[in-house]
Amino acid sequence: METQDNNKMALEETIDSEDTKILRTNGKHSDDENRFKLNISKNSTKLSNDKTTNFSDTSTILYAIIFGILFGFFMNKGTVFVAPTIRKQMLFQRFAMLKMFLAAVGMSMLSVALLSLCYNKLYTKILNGYIEHNRRRGILHYLLGGTLIGLGMVTCGSCPGTVFVQVGSGIINSLFTCLGGLLGTYFYYIFVHEHVSRENFPSTSLVLRRVPDLLHIPSLVFHIVFGVLLLGTSIGLEFVVSWKSDLNDNLLRKGTLNPDRAFGHIFGMAAWPPSICGAGVGLLQLFFIFFLEKSLGVSSAFTVLAAQLCRIKKIGQALPSLNSFAFGLMNHVALLFALGAIVGSALSSSLSQTIPLGAENGTNIVSSLVGGFLLLLGARCAGGCTSGQGISGRHFEARLRSNSDQL
């Protein structure tokens, strides 16, 4: 009897042992299955994030190019890219450039008002990013930069933005302006940058404060009032000085249609009223900030292009401040925008059959090289060109540099 009891106990222990093994095995299989599901979930999430990133990158590229095409088209139709228009504006003999700039700044200010009203967090983010980026630039930076930009504009008959429009219109010597601009960019980062950008200015510094804050006016009110005022002034100037009288005779003669009879084929006109073109450029600010979360500007395209040499490790280590522009899609937005501007200008000139423009609309090789060098050296000192800063809503600094451009 005792033997039977022992056998029964041994059998029960064996069964318990087997049950434990089965439970452990099942538990192990369950852990493996859970781990497998977790890996699948992680991979799915990663794949979804990759798709989202790829879509976002593709959208960024397309937006930058499309906005660049529109910019180049408007600038070309405004005829503010030809050297005689720019030089004679400085002498107040033509007013197309002034009309376009006032309209662009006015429309940009209205765009900023709309953004601050509907998407204030986005606008504040862009504004704070700009302030952080320019903490090392003081009044002397802007005065020196503006003066160099003014001298460069008169010398080469272009600015960092319109030079790409000149390239698209077929002005050959504009390529030498681009070369001079690259040389000016390298000169700034090799010899100037580290010596003039040593310490951060406090946020209370005059150059980092906005005009509404200084005048104790609500930002929204300021942007609406001055936006309407500047845009209205541009339109008013069209009645005082006819836009047709500002046109380059040779450019108008080569146009497909006479502007007096061109309303049935508006894209074939050699030129449009500068106030309309300027408003179009200013409106791009709204889309640029909303879709790309950047302010409108093109002079940094030279910096991004110059920075590609920094992909060579030794050069990148020697120029760390320039090296930061060599990588990243958002850095390349300015370059894509510039390429789009070339395409947009070429499209406008092709429709009006004014491509290529003759040498009389540009300057000689030496003037192009020297002027391009001064333009980009000044633009880097001041953190951008005068028109780009103004259109981007940086109105206080734009006014400082507009004054220095007349020196």
Side-chain angles (χ1 to χ4, degrees):
M1 188 70 175
E2 184 177 349
T3 303
Q4 289 180 351
D5 291 339
N6 290 336
N7 291 337
K8 186 177 180 181
M9 291 177 62
L11 180 60
E12 289 177 352
E13 289 178 359
T14 302
I15 293 173
D16 290 341
S17 178
E18 292 298 326
D19 288 343
T20 302
K21 288 181 179 179
I22 292 172
L23 288 173
R24 287 178 179 174
T25 302
N26 290 339
K28 182 178 181 182
H29 289 164
S30 179
D31 290 342
D32 291 341
E33 185 177 350
N34 290 336
R35 196 177 295 112
F36 178 71
K37 289 180 179 179
L38 182 61
N39 288 335
I40 290 177
S41 178
K42 287 182 177 179
N43 290 334
S44 298
T45 303
K46 182 179 180 182
L47 183 61
S48 177
N49 290 337
D50 289 342
K51 287 182 178 179
T52 302
T53 301
N54 291 336
F55 178 77
S56 178
D57 290 348
T58 302
S59 299
T60 297
I61 292 171
L62 289 177
Y63 285 138
I65 294 174
I66 291 171
F67 296 156
I69 291 173
L70 292 173
F71 175 83
F73 194 92
F74 284 131
M75 294 292 283
N76 185 290
K77 289 302 184 190
T79 69
V80 295
F81 66 98
V82 293
T85 297
I86 293 175
R87 287 173 167 174
K88 290 184 178 182
Q89 174 63 73
M90 297 302 180
L91 298 173
F92 294 100
Q93 295 176 355
R94 287 188 182 177
F95 295 89
M97 190 175 172
L98 178 62
K99 294 175 189 174
M100 190 162 183
F101 182 75
L102 289 175
V105 175
M107 183 59 74
S108 176
M109 293 185 79
L110 293 176
S111 298
V112 166
L114 181 61
L115 282 168
S116 62
L117 187 63
C118 301
Y119 300 96
N120 189 53
K121 287 184 178 180
L122 176 60
Y123 172 65
T124 303
K125 175 184 174 182
I126 303 299
L127 179 63
N128 290 339
Y130 164 72
I131 292 174
E132 184 64 31
H133 179 70
N134 288 277
R135 280 189 179 277
R136 294 186 177 185
R137 290 187 174 93
I139 291 179
L140 291 179
H141 292 82
Y142 295 118
L143 289 174
L144 175 62
T147 300
L148 290 173
I149 291 173
L151 290 172
M153 289 178 69
V154 173
T155 303
C156 67
S158 185
C159 77
T162 59
V163 65
F164 297 110
V165 183
Q166 289 183 344
V167 172
S169 68
I171 298 177
I172 301 299
N173 284 353
S174 61
L175 296 174
F176 293 99
T177 305
C178 291
L179 177 59
L182 283 174
L183 295 176
T185 302
Y186 283 123
F187 184 88
Y188 172 79
Y189 281 102
I190 293 173
F191 300 106
V192 179
H193 180 75
E194 295 301 330
H195 299 287
V196 299
S197 303
R198 292 184 175 180
E199 60 181 16
N200 290 335
F201 287 91
S203 58
T204 55
S205 174
L206 183 64
V207 294
L208 295 178
R209 298 181 65 188
R210 298 186 303 161
V211 177
D213 299 330
L214 294 174
L215 298 179
H216 303 290
I217 300 174
S219 178
L220 183 62
V221 174
F222 174 82
H223 282 88
I224 292 176
V225 171
F226 278 87
V228 171
L229 181 62
L230 293 176
L231 187 58
T233 301
S234 175
I235 296 173
L237 282 174
E238 297 284 17
F239 293 94
V240 177
V241 182
S242 172
W243 63 277
K244 297 173 187 176
S245 65
D246 273 339
L247 292 177
N248 184 317
D249 291 336
N250 293 329
L251 181 66
L252 180 59
R253 196 179 307 118
K254 290 183 67 176
T256 304
L257 298 172
N258 187 318
D260 289 323
R261 304 190 304 273
F263 294 105
H265 186 192
I266 192 170
F267 294 107
M269 295 170 65
W272 292 352
S275 58
I276 293 177
C277 297
V281 171
L283 189 60
L284 287 176
Q285 178 71 275
L286 175 66
F287 300 110
F288 219 84
I289 293 179
F290 184 79
F291 289 103
L292 296 174
E293 297 189 4
K294 285 174 65 73
S295 56
L296 180 65
V298 68
S299 65
S300 58
F302 284 95
T303 305
V304 175
L305 185 58
Q308 298 314 303
L309 275 182
C310 291
R311 291 178 180 269
I312 301 174
K313 190 173 182 179
K314 290 186 177 180
I315 297 178
Q317 291 174 343
L319 297 171
S321 55
L322 183 59
N323 184 53
S324 62
F325 291 93
F327 306 94
L329 178 59
M330 293 311 294
N331 276 332
H332 287 74
V333 163
L335 190 57
L336 293 170
F337 182 79
L339 293 175
I342 294 174
V343 174
S345 177
L347 177 62
S348 174
S349 293
S350 297
L351 289 172
S352 61
Q353 296 182 11
T354 56
I355 189 171
L357 286 178
E360 71 277 3
N361 293 291
T363 57
N364 59 55
I365 294 177
V366 175
S367 295
S368 296
L369 282 169
V370 174
F373 180 90
L374 293 174
L375 276 178
L376 267 298
L377 177 59
R380 290 307 92 213
C381 286
C385 66
T386 306
S387 57
Q389 295 280 35
I391 294 171
S392 290
R394 298 158 186 175
H395 310 295
F396 174 65
E397 292 144 348
R399 288 190 180 92
L400 278 178
R401 273 173 281 167
S402 293
N403 292 336
S404 65
D405 281 350
Q406 307 300 325
L407 296 178

